[in-house]
Amino acid sequence: MKPAANPQTGDTTKRNKRWVYLSLAPVIIVFLALSAFPVLNLLGLSLFKVTWQDGSAIYDFVGMENYKYLFNEEEIYWAGVRNTLIFAVSVVTVQMLLGFTMALAVMRAGSFGRPILTGIFLLPIVIPPIVIGTMWRLIMGREFGLINGLLSMAGLPTVDWLGNPDIALGSIMLVDIWHWTPFVFLLMLAGLESLDTEVLEAARLDVTSFWQEMRHIVVPMMLPTIVITVVFRIILSFKVFDEVYLLTSGGPGTSTEVVNFSIYRVFFSQDRVGDGSAMSVVTLFAVALMIIVANGLIQRRSGNKGGEE
Amino acid sequence: MAEVQLNSISKSYGATTVIDDLDLTIESKEFVALVGPSGSGKSTLLRIIAGLEDISGGTIQLDGRDVTHIDPSDRDMAMVFQSYALYPHMSVAENMTFALRMRKAPEAEVQKRLDQALDILGLRGFEDRKPGQLSGGQRQRVAMGRAIVRQPSVFLFDEPLSNLDAKLRARTRLELRELHDRLGATSIFVTHDQIEAMTMADRIVLLDGGKIQQVGTPKDIYRSPANRFVAGFIGSPEINILTGPLTRDGDELKLNQINLPASKARLKQLEAAGSIGKDVELGIRPEHFEVLKSANDGSLALTVDAIEFTGQDVFVVGQAEGANITLRMDLRRDGKLAESLARGTVLHLAPTKDNWHIFDIDSGLCLTRG
Amino acid sequence: MSVRRLSAGRLFSNTLVWGYAFLILGPMVWVLSNAFKFQIDILTGKIFAPFTWRNFEQLLFSRQSNFLANLLNSAIVATASTLIVIVIATMAAFTLARLKMPDWIRWSVLGWALLFHMLPTLTFVGSWYQMFAAVGLHGTYFALIATHVVFNLPMALFLMMTFVTALPEDLIQAARMDGCSNGAMFWRIVMPLVRGGLIATSALMFIFSWSDFAIALTLSSTDTMTAPVAIATYAQEYEIRYGEMAAGAAMSMIPALTLILVGQSFVVRGLLAGAVK
């Protein structure tokens, strides 16, 4: 048997290098053009006052004026910031408690029809948010809504869920809790089920009560998953927009104004491009800072833990 | 057909050195086994030869050609992996011919080589199966077939037998060696199993801590180990080690009270090494004891703890001079005596002439190597 | 684990999770049922009312409604953006996860992907609007598809990286020994072996693109308006057309429902893998 010479020799190294750059190029181009450049664009726009005349834009350089206005006078935005913070902290707290409790119950006692259950819990996550908004608009409607229908059938007074400034934000939070608790549940359940069962069984012999087991065993073991979920759910709840748009459009007054809605309102309804850009820039950098800090904390935590063991 | 030459190869990950300034030449058509405990760097060395691992220093030559910076696919080497690494989405035939098709070999040639390999490996009739439908032994054959079909100048084997059961492993060992002789290529074989290395290799390269401990034929390595590590690693049951001062009285050499029959040459050697009167380590293989009828002046009293019957041999494990000692008894010769052994029996052993090794206690180097 | 008795704990856990499941399903079923009712029955709050296809007919075939076109737009945008994002993300994922390359490039791409994934989309739409308007591409399919690609890219990248990383290292090395360059390895070894992950990720990307509201609201025109935007406009008309709104909602749920019925385990795997970064 005589060996056949390889027709291609030696140039593989060069071709391999070329592939590395070619395969990354599309992703890098897309990121640069559509996510990095827009940030620069916003930074630029935020220094101008844009007015419209006969369908064409006129740019006047105003320096930091838009930022001054934003920090001193833009009440909608700061109402939005306040509401967003209240919203994020409250919904994530409830979602975590509820999701963790359900996951714990299912892990310890089981449930019947797991595949069907999982399917149902996936529904709110995958159907379009606008559909969820539509649904709840129909359910919480003042005159023809399902809840008020049921209330009046029971002879109780009806409630203006979305029109009453005192409860509108609460109603939106209720929808968000409904929307995202299943996700937390599925995550927590997956986390609990991946814990080492032998450790759990060994621990069960050492503890005397359910609360001891929770406090000293289950929660500490789940802590990394819990921390990551909480942090990222909070950051992601800053993205809320679709439901607010459809349910209350920020109203009544500014009672359900959230940051994203303020940006949309200023940018698109009021055509204040400069102000909207300044708002976007401030929000962008605030959230980015939060992400970087949170990420750093999580990395350090896991790093320390690795060192101890 | 292909000589592989490694010149002062080193490899480190950050601060940890895996391979340390290693030189090695593997002759054309040679079957070389890289042996060592886990973490010795043997698999890394194989992957360095293959080009799958970058090196921190040194050069690799194939037939005098520098291939250090040549991509693995251009080195004309084929590798058989421990996990077999068969492509699960391809049939047996596709797996085996993949490399040829990648090199755009003519269809007729591909078919011819595939046919040959299928016959050699007894895989005829399995061409269209997927790896998932094969037994472990068959998968192992496909993995070898994938290498054979290429007719490379160097075969690299990374513990290819370790996932087979004991019986199949013994058979495949023979077949693999036969295959090597038939194909006439250079083979480099990584294993942690000394039996595999001893039975198949022309030469053994024994590695520990990223350094070559000894290179030699299996016989060479077994009979005259270069150091304490090699003596301990090769040979099963392990070589017996006793520690104590070495004393000489005329032609009589003793360690503690044990008489070590030695030739003139050996005495001279030890004298020259300056080891007389110093503490040393004595190594004696289990088969190199003589069982005496009764105690004499320089004999070793072994109190039997356990008797392991393996068929042809009996391994007697016990205590002597505060150390664990294993003795191999040949049933054909000492059958009667072996039958009479029980826990607690005391046997009197004498080392045989020159069938022992002295190691320096600090460096571990063998002082009695000829 | 063999026989589980109906204990108090089991009763509690089942009541809890199935109670929640009912809270999810109940409203959905009620809304869907509205899609088959006459407006008058919805307004008077009848739970059991005469059945009708009228809302669907109105929505799909009446002169005043463009919903069929809106659905088509959604499908075009979702399909195109999914195809593009999956191809570029998978190629990059293989390179980032398995190949030698300068570390700073690897970490800048991944770091930016993580950051961008978490930033509120709304902070970008203003800029996108300006950019596309400036080059006359506002309201085109191109604008929607391009933004959906970048919007889904981080998730696709992370998901495909988990699938590519799961391939055994030996297989990659064997292919290298067999003469594969990186490109050949990608097309002949990696792509066929991550097919399952590819399908799961594509399905999720399609769903996310299909569901998008914020981007489509600001970047689409009358001609390219997608289904979610259309549904939202029904809610803002002077006289809210409840029945048609419900029917529209029902139809835009179809991809998600199909996915859950056909590939539930895929979705769970993808979603959970993506959630833990």
Side-chain angles (χ1 to χ4, degrees), chain C residues 138-158:
Chain C
H138 173 259
T140 59
Y141 286 125
F142 178 86
L144 285 177
I145 292 168
T147 43
H148 280 196
V149 165
V150 73
F151 167 73
N152 275 329
L153 190 52
M155 184 77 163
L157 204 55
F158 294 139

Side-chain angles (χ1 to χ4, degrees), chain A:
Chain A
M1 285 195 267
K2 245 181 52 204
N6 296 335
Q8 54 186 47
T9 44
D11 67 336
T12 313
T13 313
K14 214 189 288 168
R15 284 188 298 148
N16 281 347
K17 263 210 188 101
R18 205 164 55 211
W19 162 269
V20 167
Y21 294 108
L22 278 178
S23 64
L24 286 180
V27 165
I28 292 177
I29 291 170
V30 167
F31 270 152
L32 284 180
L34 292 170
S35 67
F37 179 73
V39 176
L40 296 178
N41 190 28
L42 283 175
L43 277 170
L45 286 172
S46 70
L47 304 177
F48 288 87
K49 187 161 196 70
V50 185
T51 43
W52 295 87
Q53 223 157 47
D54 306 328
S56 60
I58 298 164
Y59 295 86
D60 291 315
F61 184 80
V62 293
M64 300 303 283
E65 280 306 309
N66 290 331
Y67 289 98
K68 256 184 220 156
Y69 182 77
L70 174 62
F71 280 98
N72 295 321
E73 286 166 68
E74 193 77 86
E75 273 161 33
I76 305 179
Y77 182 73
W78 297 106
V81 171
R82 209 199 61 214
N83 285 337
T84 306
L85 289 174
I86 296 174
F87 175 88
V89 172
S90 335
V91 297
V92 173
T93 309
V94 179
Q95 284 161 4
M96 289 303 297
L97 288 176
L98 204 54
F100 191 69
T101 309
M102 286 197 294
L104 205 60
V106 169
M107 212 259 313
R108 290 172 67 98
S111 73
F112 56 87
R114 268 292 280 285
I116 301 173
L117 193 69
T118 314
I120 295 173
F121 273 62
L122 278 176
L123 270 174
I125 308 171
V126 292
I127 62 177
I130 209 68
V131 170
I132 289 173
T134 311
M135 266 177 55
W136 285 94
R137 199 185 157 98
L138 292 171
I139 292 165
M140 289 178 163
R142 183 177 154 82
E143 286 168 77
F144 314 114
L146 176 65
I147 303 181
N148 281 351
L150 293 174
L151 284 177
S152 59
M153 243 196 283
L156 294 167
T158 61
V159 180
D160 190 0
W161 298 98
L162 302 170
N164 181 337
D166 294 330
I167 49 177
L169 187 62
S171 301
I172 302 256
M173 292 199 284
L174 205 66
V175 173
D176 196 81
I177 290 166
W178 177 90
H179 189 170
W180 288 107
T181 300
F183 182 65
V184 174
F185 164 77
L186 290 174
L187 263 180
M188 290 296 125
L189 187 59
L192 283 171
E193 284 179 338
S194 68
L195 293 183
D196 189 338
T197 47
E198 281 191 11
V199 173
L200 288 179
E201 279 164 12
R204 204 161 287 182
L205 301 175
D206 295 333
V207 297
T208 54
S209 73
F210 171 77
W211 295 112
Q212 271 192 347
E213 189 187 338
M214 282 305 111
R215 185 166 140 39
H216 296 290
I217 313 294
V218 177
V219 172
M221 280 170 82
M222 281 291 286
L223 207 56
T225 319
I226 293 175
V227 170
I228 290 180
T229 313
V230 168
V231 168
F232 291 150
R233 275 297 328 141
I234 286 186
I235 291 171
L236 290 180
S237 66
F238 283 21
K239 284 188 169 187
V240 64
F241 175 73
D242 302 12
E243 286 102 328
V244 175
Y245 180 94
L246 202 56
L247 288 175
T248 61
S249 295
T254 56
S255 61
T256 59
E257 189 76 33
V258 290
V259 172
N260 283 336
F261 198 80
S262 317
I263 294 174
Y264 172 78
R265 197 203 290 262
V266 169
F267 223 114
F268 292 96
S269 307
Q270 304 175 355
D271 274 335
R272 288 155 53 201
V273 172
D275 290 319
S277 300
M279 234 178 236
S280 298
V281 168
V282 170
T283 311
L284 206 65
F285 281 90
V287 177
L289 194 70
M290 277 171 33
I291 294 168
I292 291 166
V293 168
N295 216 12
L297 285 179
I298 289 168
Q299 303 278 338
R300 221 180 57 197
R301 248 198 85 83
S302 57
N304 284 345
K305 228 178 152 196
E308 279 165 27
E309 281 160 359

